[in-house]
Amino acid sequence: MHSRSVFLATVLLALTSPTKPIEIRANSVTLPLAKKLHTSGGAQYLVDQDRARVRTLIKRGLNIASQQNRRGGAVPLGESQAVVYIAQVNFGSSTTEYNLIVDTGSSNTWVGAGQPWTPDSSTTSDNEAVSVSYGSGQMEGTLYTGPVSLGSCITVEEQGFVLAEFVQGFQGYNGVLGIGPENLTLGTILENPTRTIPTITQNLYQFGVIGQALVGLFFEPSSTNTAEGELSFGAPNPARYIGELTYYPVTGTSPASRYWGINQSITYGSTVILSYTAGIVDTGTTLIHLASNAFLEYQAATGAQQDLPAPAGTGLLYLTTEQYSQLQNLDFHISGDTYTLIPNAQIWPRALNAAIGGTSDRVYLIFSNLDTPSGEGLDFVNGMCFLERYYSVYDSDQNRVGFASTEYSSSIVN
């Protein structure tokens, strides 16, 4: 492993572009992320994909997900998320960089979708089979142990990862970088379901590369592929947020407690649409999902209409341009703190209406119905549309989630 002393000074090392370097600060590593918009048909099924994922998250959190969902399980027709952020990762001694989706809602790291990876002498395997269902996709493969490199300079020497042999639902990407809690790997090793696989975050911390077992995430809202993202292991990057970071304990309410779960309430203007309850923060989900009663309250308060499901429509709520001009702030209340989505942050980027099967004369809202009432233990999912407006931190050491404002919290980009 690299000596801890290597990280005492700030060093900038180029990854693939001089404008997007890997930054190594004292006891932390920051990677650039690339935003990818899936605009070639699959995004038309955005709501279906998101709902399928959320259903799987709930089942897994309740420990009722079974391996019978292996090959052949129901997967929506559109197989890729509409919006993802990817990190470039190397496996074994290969110099090939693989594009992995950054996912806080799962903890297995794997490669093999779209671009093959061949095991080499730097890796070992006991031929243990691994299976993970994402709702909007599926992966089966073999567990390996060996070096995993983040860009060209930081390597975790004894990292467990999976070489996928069957993949469904990851068109255009090479795998997943799972940065959720380690317990999400329970049940994924088929013959040894009680065994967990330490995450990359935990191994970086164990080997002294980073000072804390936490991850900071920054995403930039945009209607193009040019937006920036950033993944910081070991410490938040203060250059990416404004003011103070505030941390909140992971909720004790199941099944949200198995993920990066928090407690919050939501108000639209002065109207409470969701009372204080438990839910999760998830980069693998595009939309914001609300318990059915909260979703209907929001629809009634905004006057939004429900579009037809795909492929006839988007499946989203929509407003007229005049209704949008009257849209009010949506406030997320967490332990006395308020995180606001201004009207522009509540809508899908209008330049991308066609990508989701929409029309140019409608303003689509970025919310979906969980189809279960509040009080079920996972009553909301704050997906990418929320996380593009606020810096977020996921702290395994202290079992907490943090948020801070960014320059984009109140920006007009959609």
Side-chain angles (χ1 to χ4, degrees), residues 313-393:
T314 65
L316 292 170
L317 296 176
Y318 68 88
L319 303 172
T320 64
T321 302
E322 182 178 354
Q323 286 175 312
Y324 171 59
S325 70
Q326 303 300 314
L327 199 62
Q328 300 180 52
N329 288 344
L330 190 70
D331 293 323
F332 294 67
H333 306 283
I334 310 173
S335 295
D337 301 311
T338 299
Y339 299 89
T340 297
L341 291 187
I342 63 171
N344 189 260
Q346 298 172 49
I347 69 172
W348 181 254
R350 283 169 283 184
L352 296 176
N353 280 2
I356 58 171
T359 59
S360 60
D361 61 332
R362 292 178 175 178
V363 181
Y364 295 95
L365 299 170
I366 45 88
F367 300 89
S368 181
N369 192 340
L370 282 176
D371 291 325
T372 55
S374 58
E376 298 293 305
L378 202 163
D379 297 335
F380 61 84
V381 179
N382 292 353
M384 286 300 308
C385 289
F386 178 88
L387 295 172
E388 287 187 332
R389 298 290 179 157
Y390 290 96
Y391 192 89
S392 56
V393 180

Side-chain angles (χ1 to χ4, degrees), residues 125-129 142-144:
S125 176
D126 292 329
N127 295 315
E128 294 177 291
T142 301
L143 181 63
Y144 281 80

